[in-house]
Amino acid sequence: MNVWGGLSVDPKNGMVYFATGQPKNDFYRPGKEGSQLYGNCIVALNANTGQHAWHYQVIHRDLWDLDLPCAPILADFNYKGKPVPGVVQLTKTGNVFLFNRLTGELLSDVEERSVPPSTLLDEQAYPTQPYVRWPQPFSKQVVTRNDLTDRTPEAHADALARFEKADTGWYVPPTQKGVIYYGIHGGAEWSGGAYDPTTGNLYVNANELAWHITMIDINAKEKSAEAFAQHPGRRVYLEKGCVGCHGSERQGNGGIPALTSLSKKYKKPDVVQIVKNGRGAMPAFSQISEDEVQALAEFLLDMESQTAVKQSNQKPVYRAMNYTKFLDKENYPATKAPWGTLNAINLHTGELVWKKPLGEYPELTAKGIPVTGRENFGGCIVTKGGLVFIAATGDEKFRAFDKDTGELLWETTLPFGGYATPSTYVVHGKQYVVIAATGGGKLGTKTGDAYVAFALE
Ligand code: HEC
């Protein structure tokens, strides 16, 4: 398991906290029953000895790619009117888990609720998942018919048709029919939130768009025959999960490149190297056999295969066909706006103080559609002067909101998308905010390399 969000250290109490991602592979995990501890856990260790202090599992046997995205946030707040040394874990499904960070006592009101079983062979979904009754969630959790887009009648009809064919519901394990659910890109993301101890408000940016994950059995008779007839390397491509990121037709997806005309720039050893060593956000496939990687390279370079790859066993092996967002035909989310939000959650009361759309599509605003918010990656900060600063959106804007009301007070366009958390500092008595603006990433906007600083008057 990886730790996406890094560590949080409490030097005064000699503690260290982190939150884990989900166990591999994504979406299908045959084999033994059980919760797969320590996947999707917040863990507390004694910083001096490394000894385990406490842990809590937020999702049991995660089959949905709902890794805990961000570091735990150390925050002191009042619980039932009394101050506690707290720690907060945010999730991609919009939950707020509150703990006493010294004892590990769970302060959120959580109930273990039954969830549906897996329909895939040899897979045992865990029978229950934690349902948070308090605090209030900060993003949508289940896609319902009422949630489908009403942007245009055509977009609605198309979303409804796909919704009716798919499975939906709270923690429905991925199926061959396809499941539509919120959370792969958050809810909360790796940047977590910003806490204001003077008010007890926690500021969290969230994504509120759904995903459509469909499982295929790559050993199904007709499918594998087809894969083999096409190319032995295509089978490896499906089996090793390249398909999940690069797409069933190698078409790419968002920030993930298409693999359709690689022969223009690569020779076989180059592709073998990329696959074995990984690159950037692409993981290394060090366990792949020599035959498999050769066949794969031949397939990707559109060469005839010179390699025979043994067809493994005939049992079903499921893979997700594409990590696909649930979008309409014009590439807007096929659920109702807001699609990206900035939220203020009061930790003393567990209530949402305000929720505002974050980011816009200028062409929709121009048509008179209220600001929709949009997918965002990057965090916020809150200043003593009462401002919340955040970029994060694919419209390449940098914004300041009033921390008490959520009113948008200022915005400017960055040279490139600012998919990072801003920082603030003082020089000769003057306060500045600065943000790294590089574009690219999951939102795939134009790339560059800039730090942009602004003076606060
Ligand atoms: C988790 C998502 C993910 C998976 C799984 C994945 N890739 Fe990638 N791949 C990427 C990303 C992201 C890049 C771009 C990396 C960069 O250059 O920063 C990439 C780049 C590549 C490139 C270089 C493309 C170019 O134009 O330079 C090749 C070749 C490639 N992947 C092949 C594969 C193969 C083969 C597999 C399966 C064995 C695979 N990838 C699995 C995400 C993925």
Side-chain angles (χ1 to χ4, degrees):
M1 255 91 63
N2 44 346
V3 172
W4 288 105
L7 308 174
S8 299
V9 179
D10 177 351
K12 189 170 140 245
N13 294 300
M15 298 286 286
V16 60
Y17 302 86
F18 59 90
T20 58
Q22 65 154 45
K24 295 296 164 205
N25 289 320
D26 297 342
F27 308 120
Y28 175 57
R29 212 135 352 94
K32 290 199 299 268
E33 297 177 22
S35 67
Q36 294 195 300
L37 203 64
Y38 286 86
N40 309 72
C41 277
I42 171 171
V43 183
L45 305 179
N46 179 311
N48 296 311
T49 63
Q51 227 171 22
H52 171 275
W54 58 267
H55 70 269
Y56 179 86
Q57 191 173 45
V58 167
I59 301 173
H60 310 304
R61 200 182 187 90
D62 175 3
L63 300 169
W64 301 270
D65 193 16
L66 295 175
D67 316 84
L68 294 183
C70 54
I73 301 165
L74 309 188
D76 294 341
F77 50 84
N78 297 338
Y79 176 66
K80 296 190 173 160
K82 291 213 180 86
V84 281
V87 60
V88 187
Q89 185 60 51
L90 302 173
T91 75
K92 294 212 279 189
T93 52
N95 284 322
V96 181
F97 284 88
L98 302 176
F99 304 86
N100 178 318
R101 70 174 178 268
L102 302 184
T103 62
E105 182 195 354
L106 175 67
L107 306 176
S108 298
D109 180 6
V110 177
E111 173 198 349
E112 285 288 332
R113 280 199 184 166
S114 297
V115 297
S118 172
T119 53
L120 305 182
L121 193 85
D122 286 345
E123 183 176 71
Q124 312 282 333
Y126 198 76
T128 62
Q129 295 292 347
Y131 179 84
V132 181
R133 283 193 293 232
W134 179 94
Q136 193 179 346
F138 58 85
S139 63
K140 288 182 278 190
Q141 300 197 305
V142 174
V143 181
T144 63
R145 185 177 294 257
N146 274 342
D147 254 351
L148 299 176
T149 181
D150 53 4
R151 196 178 57 78
T152 64
E154 296 74 29
H156 179 79
D158 173 61
L160 183 61
R162 283 185 292 146
F163 175 84
E164 283 181 338
K165 274 195 220 135
D167 292 306
T168 48
W170 195 64
Y171 286 112
V172 174
T175 60
Q176 289 180 280
K177 258 171 85 182
V179 283
I180 299 176
Y181 63 101
Y182 289 115
I184 291 187
H185 278 178
E189 261 303 328
W190 57 72
S191 45
Y195 186 56
D196 178 0
T198 64
T199 57
N201 282 351
L202 179 69
Y203 300 93
V204 184
N205 52 303
N207 286 322
E208 309 214 23
L209 44 116
W211 289 67
H212 192 172
I213 300 293
T214 307
M215 306 304 288
I216 52 152
D217 170 11
I218 62 170
N219 273 347
K221 287 273 177 324
E222 65 290 8
K223 280 272 173 6
S224 74
E226 174 221 329
F228 259 99
Q230 284 191 26
H231 202 294
R234 179 173 154 80
R235 185 188 159 74
V236 181
Y237 181 82
L238 294 172
E239 194 167 83
K240 293 291 165 191
C242 318
V243 58
C245 286
H246 292 285
S248 55
E249 304 309 318
R250 299 192 262 156
Q251 73 275 23
N253 179 11
I256 294 170
L259 302 179
T260 38
S261 42
L262 291 182
S263 55
K264 292 201 187 107
K265 54 179 180 180
Y266 294 133
K267 302 247 172 300
K268 229 165 114 178
D270 305 323
V271 176
V272 169
Q273 278 311 307
I274 294 171
V275 173
K276 283 188 173 170
N277 300 333
R279 180 200 277 186
M282 169 165 152
F285 288 80
S286 48
Q287 306 290 331
I288 199 164
S289 82
E290 203 50 43
D291 281 353
E292 285 172 331
V293 74
Q294 292 293 332
L296 198 47
E298 287 153 4
F299 168 60
L300 293 178
L301 296 171
D302 303 305
M303 294 159 68
E304 296 229 335
S305 174
Q306 298 151 14
T307 319
V309 176
K310 280 198 282 315
Q311 192 163 5
S312 50
N313 63 51
Q314 289 300 317
K315 275 203 345 198
V317 171
Y318 302 96
R319 288 284 179 275
M321 290 301 282
N322 305 339
Y323 282 66
T324 319
K325 291 178 201 167
F326 183 49
L327 301 177
D328 67 24
K329 290 213 172 79
E330 288 165 84
N331 279 334
Y332 298 108
T335 46
K336 273 191 192 132
W339 300 318
T341 55
L342 183 62
N343 304 277
I345 305 150
N346 189 273
L347 297 189
H348 303 320
T349 64
E351 272 157 27
L352 271 177
V353 182
W354 51 258
K355 180 182 201 69
K356 299 287 172 183
L358 178 63
E360 69 180 317
Y361 290 95
E363 71 279 12
L364 297 185
T365 315
K367 283 187 192 157
I369 296 175
V371 171
T372 57
R374 57 191 282 173
E375 198 171 15
N376 59 87
F377 292 101
C380 59
I381 56 168
V382 53
T383 68
K384 214 167 180 179
L387 301 173
V388 180
F389 284 99
I390 184 162
T393 47
D395 56 14
E396 303 173 331
K397 291 271 174 39
F398 189 36
R399 298 181 164 91
F401 293 83
D402 180 306
K403 75 168 187 175
D404 296 320
T405 63
E407 189 192 343
L408 176 65
L409 297 177
W410 170 79
E411 65 179 12
T412 188
T413 303
L414 294 167
F416 312 100
Y419 309 133
T421 302
S423 187
T424 186
Y425 58 96
V426 175
V427 181
H428 300 314
K430 192 163 187 167
Q431 189 177 0
Y432 299 84
V433 284
V434 63
I435 179 139
T438 62
K442 289 196 188 301
L443 297 181
T445 55
K446 70 178 184 295
T447 56
D449 192 3
Y451 282 98
V452 191
F454 300 87
L456 269 62
E457 288 301 325

